[in-house]
Amino acid sequence: MEQAETVTHKNGRQRKPIVSWDMKEADHNYPLDLEIEEEALLQGFDREDGHPKVRRGIRAELGNVSLLLFLYVLQGIPLGLAGSIPLIMQSKNVSYKDQAYFSFVFWPFSLKLLWAPLVDALYLQQFGRRKSWLVPTQYLLGLFMLYLSATVDSLLEGDGRRGPDVLTITAVFFMLAFLAATQDIAVDGWALTMLSRENVGYASTCNSVGQTAGYFLGNVLFLALESADFCNKYLRFEPKATGIVTLSDFLFFWGIVFLVSTTLVAVLKREKFKQQSKKKSREETQGVMDTYRLLFSIVKMPTVFTFCSLLLTAKIGFSAADAVTGLKLVEAGVPKEQLALLAVPMVPLQILLPLIISKYTAGPRPLDIFYKAFPFRLLIGLGYALLVWWTPSVRQEGGFPVYYYVVVLLSYAVHQVALYSMYVATMAFHAKVSDPVIGGTYMTLLNTVTNLGGNWPSTLALWLVDPLTVKECQGAAGQSCGSPEEAGLCSQQGGTCVTSLDGYYVESVVCVLIGFGWWYWLGKRMKHLQEESPSAWQCKAAK
């Protein structure tokens, strides 16, 4: 339920319609500086006499569109793999504190605004403005995947006593996510100049479709092919003890794909670079420090500061449901590949929902939809807690009955409606208030804050599950289970640690109470921001 509440439209991006139980709202990407926007706008006016070139149809640029789509697919692969690792680790009985450590892997896409100005400003002109970053980051992604293919099995198995080496796994996948976020910045910028002005709108389509496809391959498809049960049931005539592919095999294959494709792009694809003779490049007048100063000046505006503060706290009420529920279902015995596959029938709904909801958010008060959907999403969180509580009683010897998965699917669908209602309303308000003079930077800032507002509560929710859980040692007098050491002593004395109070249920209730408090007091404050005049959102520093 929310990696990273990342609906990958872009938490992504994140996107990314979600293709796992983890709900990550993806952030749409917007260029950080106006120079690349001007570059794209001037694509159709390259003749010296100022007359426009002949308009090009999409067929003339199918090669560029295909390349962009492929680059976004590559970007989604490490994100999908990162989304599958928590489910794999949960099946190995890691602690929720370890899951909290790993959740930091999903932060780079919410923090990329911090280094995006560097990617925009520093490059080798002879090699290409975007290729200067795209090529090395994709080479590093490929090399990291090859390294992981040789070590991931030992990292996940640990030394046999301590279990998976979570810190090392987190560090490596954090680097993968960091490199993917950097690649995202470069590809987003390149899309604006790779395509002509009349076809530049296809860039967002390549983004959403490509990232979603990549996430699907790295998450849903991988978990299905890695599962021995799934492969034996649907893909084999003779059962075997392992799936068709292993995590090591999958990483090795995509590592080679990254290295080969990056080499082809570096050698064969030339990047357009046009020096505007009659118009001074925006980049010459707005450097890296100017961009950072502009971001700071936007945040200092009273309306923006208030709005960002609300965005950073709005998702606290959903954190237990979004971050922990899927892991609890795996802990209760639900196959992780089945949870991943539940996202497949949701794809049509995820495509239609934004189209339907946008009709109601296109007016002057889009946050009204956000406010109305908020309490329903909170109640769905309580419904998820009931679902987790109900799951063990439904389990049968051969797995779970069909009606159980129908209930889970319906719960997921209702959650999607509430989530997309809030997401589309927020994006519509971002577009409404962003100062058009600096629209790219403004929108990116608001989207970054929105995603960060979903990430930090999820990490905290995972971190607190274990401390809030109460376990008792049954069968060994005088022993307790308050720590792993105490649990070991309980086991040595012939006892068994039994959970008397699951921290997940405590979190679910507390989060919903906090959420309703936020909705009653701060939600109204957010609605009132719609009544501010347009001048209250305009950044004077950009004038």
Side-chain angles (χ1 to χ4, degrees):
M1 307 224 172
E2 246 222 100
Q3 177 219 38
E5 267 200 28
T6 170
V7 180
T8 301
H9 307 286
K10 327 170 204 227
N11 245 96
R13 2 273 34 345
Q14 235 162 73
R15 13 88 5 227
K16 54 191 152 154
I18 212 83
V19 287
S20 81
W21 197 264
D22 235 4
M23 298 299 306
K24 299 288 178 194
E25 292 180 8
D27 54 284
H28 284 282
N29 290 297
Y30 296 86
L32 286 173
D33 56 296
L34 287 182
E35 191 272 331
I36 58 177
E37 293 178 346
E38 294 168 352
E39 199 174 346
L41 289 171
L42 291 168
Q43 287 285 323
F45 296 88
D46 288 331
R47 281 172 46 174
E48 295 181 359
D49 58 6
H51 289 79
K53 287 183 176 180
V54 177
R55 294 179 64 86
R56 305 174 66 187
I58 186 60
R59 291 185 178 181
E61 296 192 278
L62 280 179
N64 288 335
V65 171
S66 299
L67 176 59
L68 282 176
L69 183 63
F70 179 71
L71 292 176
Y72 282 120
V73 169
L74 291 183
Q75 185 184 120
I77 296 296
L79 300 180
L81 284 171
S84 68
I85 294 299
L87 300 178
I88 294 175
M89 292 197 303
Q90 192 67 15
S91 64
K92 298 180 180 295
N93 299 317
V94 301
S95 68
Y96 284 93
K97 184 178 180 180
D98 289 335
Q99 294 283 11
Y101 281 129
F102 189 82
S103 70
F104 284 105
V105 167
F106 306 117
W107 284 50
F109 267 85
S110 297
L111 299 174
K112 63 183 180 179
L113 182 62
L114 297 178
W115 67 91
L118 297 175
V119 178
D120 271 330
L122 305 178
Y123 57 92
L124 297 174
Q125 180 175 323
Q126 295 81 358
F127 188 57
R129 180 178 182 181
R130 307 303 175 185
K131 285 172 62 178
S132 296
W133 288 91
L134 177 72
V135 171
T137 54
Q138 290 200 168
Y139 270 133
L140 287 173
L141 278 165
L143 293 174
F144 266 103
M145 286 186 172
L146 292 180
Y147 164 76
L148 267 177
S149 69
T151 60
V152 70
D153 291 335
S154 61
L155 292 175
L156 285 172
E157 295 301 328
D159 58 8
R161 291 176 299 176
R162 293 182 301 173
D165 187 351
V166 176
L167 291 181
T168 303
I169 294 172
T170 300
V172 176
F173 274 93
F174 183 90
M175 283 304 303
L176 284 176
F178 174 81
L179 291 169
T182 305
Q183 188 251 30
D184 185 39
I185 299 168
V187 176
D188 286 343
W190 198 2
L192 294 176
T193 56
M194 187 184 295
L195 301 179
S196 61
R197 174 57 184 166
E198 56 266 28
N199 293 324
V200 74
Y202 287 98
S204 61
T205 303
C206 293
N207 185 316
S208 59
V209 174
Q211 271 199 356
T212 300
Y215 197 93
F216 180 89
L217 291 173
N219 188 282
V220 178
L221 183 63
F222 162 69
L223 288 174
L225 296 180
E226 185 264 350
S227 169
D229 291 338
F230 181 87
C231 293
N232 291 337
K233 187 174 181 180
Y234 298 106
L235 303 178
R236 286 177 174 149
F237 295 106
E238 296 183 4
K240 293 185 179 180
T242 60
I244 293 177
V245 300
T246 64
L247 179 56
S248 178
D249 296 334
F250 197 82
L251 284 164
F252 182 82
F253 171 79
W254 284 106
I256 295 298
V257 171
F258 266 89
L259 295 180
V260 172
S261 60
T262 303
T263 301
L264 293 176
V265 170
V267 174
L268 302 179
K269 181 62 179 177
R270 293 191 176 184
E271 188 173 344
K272 296 177 184 177
F273 182 83
K274 296 180 182 286
Q275 182 68 37
Q276 304 297 335
S277 59
K278 296 183 179 181
K279 187 177 182 69
K280 192 175 183 180
S281 173
R282 175 79 174 193
E283 192 171 53
E284 295 176 12
T285 60
Q286 181 168 308
V288 176
M289 295 309 299
D290 293 324
T291 302
Y292 284 120
R293 279 192 288 267
L294 178 59
L295 289 170
F296 183 65
S297 65
I298 295 173
V299 174
K300 286 197 305 181
M301 296 163 56
T303 50
V304 175
F305 183 82
T306 300
F307 186 49
C308 288
S309 300
L310 294 172
L311 290 175
L312 286 173
T313 56
K315 295 176 184 175
I316 295 176
F318 316 126
S319 57
D322 292 347
V324 188
T325 301
L327 300 178
K328 278 294 178 182
L329 291 177
V330 173
E331 183 181 316
V334 181
K336 57 185 181 297
E337 66 275 6
Q338 295 292 348
L339 286 181
L341 288 170
L342 287 177
V344 176
M346 289 293 101
V347 172
L349 181 65
Q350 291 168 334
I351 294 173
L352 292 175
L353 276 176
L355 299 176
I356 297 172
I357 297 168
S358 61
K359 296 179 181 179
Y360 301 96
T361 59
R365 300 182 62 86
L367 292 182
D368 287 352
I369 300 297
F370 177 96
Y371 186 78
K372 292 176 181 178
F374 198 97
F376 290 101
R377 188 172 170 188
L378 290 173
L379 293 176
I380 292 169
L382 288 180
Y384 278 164
L386 290 174
L387 178 65
V388 172
W389 173 80
W390 178 57
T391 297
S393 64
V394 183
R395 187 175 183 179
Q396 302 173 353
E397 186 175 347
F400 291 85
V402 174
Y403 70 84
Y404 172 79
Y405 289 111
V406 172
V407 172
V408 175
L409 187 62
L410 291 176
S411 302
Y412 188 21
V414 173
H415 183 265
Q416 291 281 287
V417 173
L419 184 147
Y420 272 78
S421 296
M422 295 177 60
Y423 174 77
V424 174
T426 304
M427 292 299 104
F429 188 70
H430 290 179
K432 177 177 178 290
V433 301
S434 293
D435 190 339
V437 177
I438 48 171
T441 302
Y442 211 128
M443 289 283 284
T444 303
L445 172 64
L446 294 180
N447 292 335
T448 297
V449 173
T450 300
N451 286 341
L452 184 59
N455 278 339
W456 78 261
S458 295
T459 297
L460 183 61
L462 288 167
W463 190 284
L464 291 176
V465 171
D466 286 335
L468 293 175
T469 298
V470 178
K471 293 184 177 181
E472 298 177 351
C473 181
Q474 295 183 357
Q479 299 299 323
S480 61
C481 299
S483 67
E485 293 77 14
E486 293 176 346
L489 290 174
C490 173
S491 178
Q492 290 176 10
Q493 297 295 323
T496 303
C497 287
V498 177
T499 301
S500 57
L501 179 63
D502 195 325
Y504 167 68
Y505 300 118
V506 177
E507 277 192 7
S508 296
V509 174
V510 172
C511 284
V512 169
L513 292 176
I514 293 174
F516 273 109
W518 189 97
W519 176 69
Y520 184 79
W521 284 290
L522 299 181
K524 293 179 180 178
R525 180 71 184 95
M526 179 177 279
K527 281 181 62 179
H528 291 158
L529 289 175
Q530 299 174 118
E531 300 168 4
E532 296 284 349
S533 64
S535 60
W537 300 93
Q538 293 175 0
C539 182
K540 297 178 176 58
K543 308 304 179 185

